[in-house]
Amino acid sequence: MATYGLFVRFTLRDGAGQAFDELIQETTAGIRAHEPGTLVYACHEVEGSPNERIFFELYADHAAFEEHERQPHTRHFLTERAKYVEKTEVDRLQPYAGKYPAGAEK
């Protein structure tokens, strides 16, 4: 299986944390309900940096990532996030070793 991953760092606008986090709660509900190919979609606050959020995303393959990008809840997030995000950094990952959820082994 050729899993595909992303590491995303969002730098939020001052005071936008709560609204951004609420948007993420809506988005992740859609991901859990409609995206079997999204194996991990983990959102994190960064200790000591209240305006930073880190996402680790792992997909069954690149096609599952593309399906994630087409979903209405993802499209909504991508449109709305501009209100809250000052900067976005994305690293595209090709996993090669580690411990993964069942069904995501390399």
Side-chain angles (χ1 to χ4, degrees), residues 90-105:
V90 179
D91 291 318
R92 298 177 187 285
L93 310 173
Q94 293 296 321
Y96 69 94
K99 181 178 185 279
Y100 294 94
E105 293 83 11

Side-chain angles (χ1 to χ4, degrees), residues 13-27:
R13 301 179 193 285
D14 285 338
Q18 182 177 349
F20 181 83
D21 294 343
E22 290 170 4
L23 177 62
I24 289 303
Q25 291 295 336
E26 295 171 17
T27 304

Side-chain angles (χ1 to χ4, degrees), residues 67-81:
E67 182 62 23
H68 163 75
E69 292 288 288
R70 286 191 289 271
Q71 294 296 311
H73 49 270
T74 301
R75 303 302 315 153
H76 177 73
F77 168 74
L78 294 173
T79 300
E80 293 296 308
R81 74 179 179 182

Side-chain angles (χ1 to χ4, degrees), residues 17-82:
Q18 182 177 349
F20 181 83
D21 294 343
E22 290 170 4
L23 177 62
I24 289 303
Q25 291 295 336
E26 295 171 17
T27 304
T28 56
I31 291 167
R32 284 189 302 275
H34 302 290
E35 297 186 30
T38 300
L39 306 175
V40 176
Y41 197 90
C43 310
H44 304 84
E45 294 179 335
V46 177
E47 189 174 323
S49 298
N51 289 341
E52 299 289 325
R53 299 295 185 273
I54 301 288
F55 288 17
F56 173 68
E57 305 172 29
L58 184 65
Y59 301 91
D61 51 29
H62 199 270
F65 166 71
E66 291 172 347
E67 182 62 23
H68 163 75
E69 292 288 288
R70 286 191 289 271
Q71 294 296 311
H73 49 270
T74 301
R75 303 302 315 153
H76 177 73
F77 168 74
L78 294 173
T79 300
E80 293 296 308
R81 74 179 179 182

